[in-house]
Amino acid sequence: MKTEWRIFLTIASFLLFAAVLYGGWTWADSDGRVEWIGTVALLLSFLLCSMCGGFFWFVSRRIDLRPEDRPDGEIADGAGEIGFFSPGSYWPFGLAAAATIAGLGLVFWQMWLLGLGAVAVIFAACGLLFEYYTGTRRTAEH
């Protein structure tokens, strides 16, 4: 995590510098008025990168060094089980279709279509989340 927080905070410091430079540049060019859209966008990007970098810094202080963070780390140190990944699922397609319906409702400002898409997004997200917790799969206690 050491590398990640350094990357994010480096980008955040660049974005803060760019926001100050952009605000000053537009103030000097337009008779004392700052172009707020670009300046606010850069400041919000700075805050987002700072938030991510701060989270990674916070987590990196509480966990042991990973092989990627150690100078003597080997590739074999990171070997082993990473986790469970679904071999095949149709829920991501359903989630994308539901998001498309909601997006079309937003584009054409049709509240009924937006509502239908929002309900479908919630249903598809729950289906994706609980895919392996439903059905006839039983525990070993039976």
Side-chain angles (χ1 to χ4, degrees):
M1 295 282 179
K2 188 176 182 180
T3 305
E4 288 90 346
W5 71 261
R6 286 183 177 170
I7 290 172
F8 273 102
L9 291 181
T10 301
I11 293 170
S13 62
F14 169 75
L15 287 169
L16 181 63
F17 172 73
V20 171
L21 182 68
Y22 184 81
W25 199 344
T26 58
W27 179 75
D29 264 355
S30 62
D31 302 327
R33 292 184 310 211
V34 175
E35 197 278 309
W36 288 109
I37 303 299
T39 307
V40 170
L42 285 168
L43 285 174
L44 289 176
S45 299
F46 157 74
L47 289 174
L48 180 64
C49 285
S50 297
M51 183 177 65
C52 293
F55 171 76
F56 285 134
W57 173 74
F58 184 76
V59 169
S60 72
R61 292 183 358 195
R62 285 166 172 66
I63 63 172
D64 295 331
L65 286 177
R66 300 176 304 166
E68 302 91 63
D69 296 330
R70 294 192 332 250
D72 63 335
E74 297 289 330
I75 294 174
D77 294 340
E81 185 177 331
I82 296 174
F84 173 74
F85 299 98
S86 177
S89 174
Y90 293 109
W91 284 110
F93 177 74
L95 188 60
T100 301
I101 292 170
L104 286 173
L106 191 60
V107 166
F108 294 115
W109 204 245
Q110 297 294 317
M111 288 301 137
W112 66 272
L113 191 59
L114 181 61
L116 179 73
V119 170
V121 164
I122 291 170
F123 178 74
C126 290
L128 182 64
L129 180 65
F130 296 116
E131 180 176 15
Y132 290 99
Y133 296 103
T134 59
T136 59
R137 295 180 187 89
R138 302 279 185 206
T139 58
E141 292 135 14
H142 289 105

